[in-house]
Amino acid sequence: MRLSAIAAVLSLTPVAAFAASDCRVTGDPAVFGVDMTAYFATRSGETCNFAMRIPGAMHSSGVSQKPAHGTLRQLNVTTFRYTAASGYKGSDKFAVYGEGKGPYGSGRSVMTVNATIE
């Protein structure tokens, strides 16, 4: 009886409350071995996910430069989560890298990300 009551409560918990939306990222085309620049906008205090989308296989990745006005967390080898500082409006900048091999090149690529916080 207790187990079914817990299951009923858990089934009412909205999943969307825990999920972050995807950042709308624009920028240079991605190729392994070439550095790139990306841009996105988000609101103060909000969180969004963005992926390094490079054709081929990414073997490793990480954060090269932390943001000054928010937090950055790596979710998996291709996806990162950015949270803008609450109450801050302006610009933020950070960098992530990916290493791998694709049809157009191989090596390490650094993506410098320019975020506009509204």
Side-chain angles (χ1 to χ4, degrees):
M1 174 100 164
R2 266 189 182 174
L3 188 56
S4 62
I6 292 171
V9 169
L10 290 177
S11 68
L12 297 175
T13 305
V15 175
F18 302 107
S21 63
D22 288 339
C23 305
R24 292 185 181 208
V25 179
T26 60
D28 300 334
V31 175
F32 282 114
V34 177
D35 291 343
M36 42 197 138
T37 304
Y39 305 87
F40 71 83
T42 191
R43 292 189 174 163
S44 178
E46 290 195 0
T47 298
C48 64
N49 297 331
F50 67 95
M52 286 189 77
R53 291 189 174 100
I54 303 176
M58 191 171 307
H59 304 297
S60 65
S61 63
V63 176
S64 301
Q65 176 187 342
K66 293 180 180 181
H69 302 287
T71 59
L72 185 62
R73 181 175 153 215
Q74 186 169 359
L75 301 178
N76 58 44
V77 74
T78 61
T79 308
F80 297 83
R81 176 172 288 164
Y82 175 79
T83 303
S86 185
Y88 176 77
K89 292 187 179 184
S91 61
D92 203 358
K93 184 176 183 179
F94 56 90
V96 296
Y97 70 88
E99 295 178 4
K101 183 174 183 177
Y104 308 109
S106 63
R108 181 181 176 124
S109 298
V110 175
M111 177 190 289
T112 301
V113 182
N114 296 288
T116 300
I117 316 304
E118 302 169 340

